[in-house]
Amino acid sequence: MAEPAPGVAGTDRHRGAPIREAATEGGSQPGQEKPSRKHRATKKNSRKRSPKPPARKRAYVCSVRLNDEEKALLTAAASAARTSLPAFLARSGIAAAQDLDNTVAAIAGRRETVSELFSARRDLKRVGVNLNQAVKVLNSGEWPAELENILAATERAVQRVQKATDQLLQQN
């Protein structure tokens, strides 16, 4: 069997594969060593945090369900705070828990305001029914006896809705 020319890969007798890598294959070249780790292109250095001590390490996972709007709002807030969404949720939850008087008052105030809006809406519906009946009487050519009371009730219900709406806007 003939010997291969110098610098050219020979073949393995059993499989016909090259004995060593050819120079044109893109691998390391014969006689050339691999670049050391120091000379390889390195990724941009990222900031490394020191690990939390075991006492402060978060070991519990809480699952939270959000709709698309809530997730978008919280993700934007976390991004503005330059933190991840889970970290933002944990920190804001802890901050709320540490100031329970303020948190409970805000939640209770909002619930009261929403409750007032629903109540005023029910009143407006009743007043609207009465107003429609009064208009029907007016269209028949008569003056309804309760028209002034109906108009006053309408004004009160509208004022309640306006006041509750203003309170909600101030809370945000």
Side-chain angles (χ1 to χ4, degrees):
M1 187 167 186
E3 291 289 320
V8 176
T11 58
D12 184 354
R13 293 182 188 184
H14 298 288
R15 301 196 179 225
I19 294 174
R20 64 176 196 241
E21 225 174 289
T24 59
E25 294 294 320
S28 60
Q29 304 299 319
Q32 185 182 32
E33 58 187 71
K34 290 184 177 182
S36 68
R37 287 189 152 222
K38 291 180 184 176
H39 297 337
R40 287 185 192 167
T42 58
K43 187 169 69 167
K44 184 178 177 182
N45 290 338
S46 60
R47 191 183 116 206
K48 302 287 184 196
R49 285 188 267 163
S50 56
K52 287 184 178 182
R56 294 192 36 98
K57 193 162 186 127
R58 292 184 176 143
Y60 300 101
V61 176
C62 297
S63 178
V64 177
R65 292 184 187 269
L66 305 169
N67 62 29
D68 291 338
E69 185 179 312
E70 292 167 337
K71 185 174 187 285
L73 182 66
L74 289 170
T75 302
S79 179
R82 294 182 160 196
T83 185
S84 67
L85 179 58
F88 179 79
L89 289 172
R91 288 181 182 143
S92 57
I94 290 167
Q98 289 172 340
D99 190 8
L100 278 180
D101 292 336
N102 191 17
T103 304
V104 170
I107 292 170
R110 179 164 288 193
R111 283 185 182 157
E112 288 172 5
T113 304
V114 170
S115 178
E116 175 64 18
L117 273 173
F118 282 128
S119 176
R121 191 176 75 171
R122 281 190 302 273
D123 288 348
L124 275 173
K125 185 175 181 180
R126 282 188 225 118
V127 168
V129 169
N130 290 341
L131 196 56
N132 281 339
Q133 291 171 351
V135 169
K136 185 177 179 182
V137 172
L138 275 173
N139 285 337
S140 70
E142 296 181 35
W143 185 262
E146 295 293 318
L147 185 58
E148 283 80 22
N149 292 340
I150 294 170
L151 293 175
T154 303
E155 181 63 29
R156 284 191 306 272
V158 168
Q159 292 300 321
R160 285 176 61 196
V161 169
Q162 184 62 48
K163 184 178 176 184
T165 303
D166 291 342
Q167 286 176 348
L168 273 178
L169 291 174
Q170 288 173 357
Q171 289 174 1
N172 291 332

